């Protein structure tokens, strides 16, 4: 996979060729160079270089006191991260895959997310938790979940879903500067994505959605790896005279509804693409907010393309069938636009 061009203006000399994986690693390296309070802990992040090789080489560079291999206990090392954050450090906790975060759910939901409230505003928890999410790598039913929408339900935390190289590189530092817990969901299907990145790429905002492609006929709202499927679909639709506007949510909590509601006021149609399950998912929340804030702007019902409500299959063709695909986006968008012609 290669990253689509979504703007530009940078000269060729100021760009480097990199991957999503390398962008995240560079972000962690820079953070540890800039602030001695920053450290990384998690399973196999040190000698092994991380389950997805994101932290490869950092142990040799920063040593075992800042790149810490932990026992196989998500609750324990997430709790250690919370304690370190309360003590003034800036920990980055890595959880291998999103399903393992469920073993640390009590720490995240009942401790990290509530300390500020329960202490009467006295104690912040400046903690960053990174984890891989999503399907497409044949990791089957137990390691292919898209549970970021679940965490977007929880007050007291921020939920980030970087899709582009710029966001993979830049969201981490902004998250580390945040006084409250931030969860970063890195789609495992994007790790090998390669493309150009500004040599001086740095921090980016983490509180607003971005329009990745302008259009007039319908708004496609998505995030994570589905962004590139939406962009592929928009390109195909343009060949048939349909101009789709593509919005990358980037952050699921807080949800930037102003951006997608403003877009719908212009396009009058909304299609939500979410790799997570349909029932009770973030797509349902977005749809509800559209009903509340843009009902009279709509020329057609809001539609959703979501992951099939089954455990993720292992077989490649079945896995692909269980996930949103560009072809389905194209078919749905044509029907939505054609329904009012």
């Amino acid at each position: 996979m290669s990253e689509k061009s979504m703007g530009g203006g940078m000269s060729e000399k100021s760009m480097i060729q990199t991957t999503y994986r390398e962008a995240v690693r560079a972000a962690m390296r820079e953070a540890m160079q800039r602030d001695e309070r920053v450290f990384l802990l998690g399973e196999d992040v040190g000698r092994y270089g991380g389950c997805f090789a994101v932290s490869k080489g950092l142990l040799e560079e920063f040593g075992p006191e800042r790149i810490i291999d932990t026992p196989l206990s998500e609750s324990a090392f997430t709790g250690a991260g919370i304690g370190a954050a309360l003590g003034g450090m800036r920990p980055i906790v890595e959880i291998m895959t999103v399903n393992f975060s469920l073993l640390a759910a009590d720490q995240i939901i009942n401790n990290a997310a509530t300390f500020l409230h329960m202490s009467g505003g006295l104690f912040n928890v400046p903690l960053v938790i990174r984890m891989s999410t999503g399907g497409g790598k044949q990791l089957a039913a137990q390691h292919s979940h898209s549970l970021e929408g679940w965490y977007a339900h929880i007050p007291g935390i921020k939920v980030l879903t970087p899709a582009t190289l710029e966001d993979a590189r830049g969201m981490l530092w902004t998250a580390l500067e945040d006084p409250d817990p931030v969860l970063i969901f890195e789609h495992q299907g994007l790790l090998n994505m390669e493309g150009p990145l500004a040599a001086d790429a740095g921090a980016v905002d983490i509180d607003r959605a971005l329009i990745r492609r302008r259009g007039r006929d319908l708004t496609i709202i998505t995030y994570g790896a589905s962004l590139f499927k939406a962009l592929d679909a928009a390109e195909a639709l343009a060949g048939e005279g349909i101009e789709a506007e593509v919005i990358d949510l980037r952050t699921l909590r807080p949800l930037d509804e102003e951006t997608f509601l403003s877009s719908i006021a212009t396009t009058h149609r909304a299609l939500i693409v979410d790799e997570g399950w349909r029932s009770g998912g973030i797509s349902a929340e977005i749809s509800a907010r559209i009903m509340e804030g843009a009902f009279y702007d709509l020329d057609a019902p809001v539609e959703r393309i979501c992951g099939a409500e089954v455990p993720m299959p292992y077989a490649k063709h079945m896995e692909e069938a269980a996930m949103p695909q560009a072809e389905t986006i194209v078919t749905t968008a044509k029907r939505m636009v054609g329904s009012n012609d």
Side-chain angles (χ1 to χ4, degrees), residues 3-324:
E3 186 176 38
K4 296 281 191 301
S5 173
M6 292 173 288
M10 298 293 294
S11 67
E12 188 174 339
K13 289 184 179 179
S14 63
M15 307 298 285
I16 59 172
Q17 197 73 7
T18 191
T19 66
Y20 188 104
R21 174 186 289 103
E22 291 164 349
V24 176
R25 183 186 304 135
M28 290 195 292
R29 175 181 292 112
E30 182 189 45
M32 285 188 279
Q33 290 170 341
R34 293 176 65 175
D35 190 338
E36 62 182 11
R37 298 174 299 170
V38 177
F39 67 98
L40 173 69
L41 72 160
E43 297 164 356
D44 290 332
V45 299
R47 293 181 63 186
Y48 189 64
C51 178
F52 296 99
V54 175
S55 57
K56 187 176 181 180
L58 296 184
L59 175 64
E60 292 75 14
E61 190 170 349
F62 296 100
E65 291 187 351
R66 298 185 70 189
I67 309 295
I68 303 173
D69 281 318
T70 66
L72 303 182
S73 176
E74 283 75 12
S75 181
F77 65 74
T78 301
I82 293 170
L86 288 166
M89 301 296 284
R90 293 294 184 270
I92 304 170
V93 173
E94 177 175 308
I95 296 176
M96 280 188 183
T97 53
V98 65
N99 59 287
F100 288 127
S101 73
L102 301 180
L103 301 172
D106 186 53
Q107 295 283 13
I108 296 169
I109 297 168
N110 277 333
N111 291 330
T114 62
F115 256 108
L116 183 63
H117 166 74
M118 295 181 70
S119 67
L122 293 178
F123 298 115
N124 293 92
V125 184
L127 168 73
V128 172
I129 302 176
R130 297 175 37 253
M131 63 188 89
S132 69
T133 188
K137 301 297 288 184
Q138 289 188 272
L139 295 181
Q142 292 184 319
H143 304 301
S144 302
H145 300 81
S146 296
L147 303 183
E148 51 276 358
W150 287 14
Y151 286 103
H153 182 65
I154 309 301
I157 60 175
K158 289 185 173 68
V159 175
L160 313 184
T161 56
T164 66
L165 296 179
E166 289 80 8
D167 282 350
R169 177 67 173 82
M171 280 186 163
L172 179 66
W173 180 253
T174 311
L176 285 166
E177 288 187 310
D178 197 288
D180 299 313
V182 180
L183 275 59
I184 304 179
F185 292 84
E186 299 161 0
H187 198 288
Q188 56 191 318
L190 297 177
L191 289 170
N192 291 328
M193 180 178 71
E194 186 174 357
L197 179 68
D200 60 352
V204 298
D205 71 87
I206 58 173
D207 56 5
R208 63 190 178 98
L210 286 176
I211 297 173
R212 299 295 190 182
R213 181 185 176 112
R214 294 283 179 178
R216 64 177 184 272
D217 296 316
L218 83 157
T219 299
I220 302 176
I221 304 165
T222 191
Y223 67 91
S226 294
L227 170 64
F228 299 99
K229 297 175 182 179
L231 289 169
D232 285 343
E235 186 70 23
L237 288 165
E240 301 190 40
I242 299 173
E243 294 295 336
E245 186 146 290
V246 179
I247 293 178
D248 176 8
L249 291 171
R250 302 178 66 243
T251 299
L252 302 188
R253 187 177 187 100
L255 193 60
D256 175 15
E257 63 181 64
E258 180 180 349
T259 294
F260 60 78
L261 292 180
S262 296
S263 174
I264 293 165
T266 300
T267 66
H268 308 293
R269 297 172 180 84
L271 172 59
I272 306 161
V273 182
D274 173 21
E275 193 175 311
W277 292 311
R278 182 184 181 91
S279 297
I282 191 68
S283 66
E285 174 65 24
I286 296 166
S287 180
R289 295 200 189 193
I290 293 170
M291 292 298 100
E292 294 165 351
F295 179 79
Y296 292 105
D297 291 320
L298 292 170
D299 286 344
V302 175
E303 298 221 22
R304 294 183 285 158
I305 299 173
C306 303
E309 300 207 354
V310 297
M312 186 66 78
Y314 172 75
K316 186 65 175 175
H317 68 289
M318 294 180 67
E319 181 182 46
E320 290 177 351
M323 298 170 62

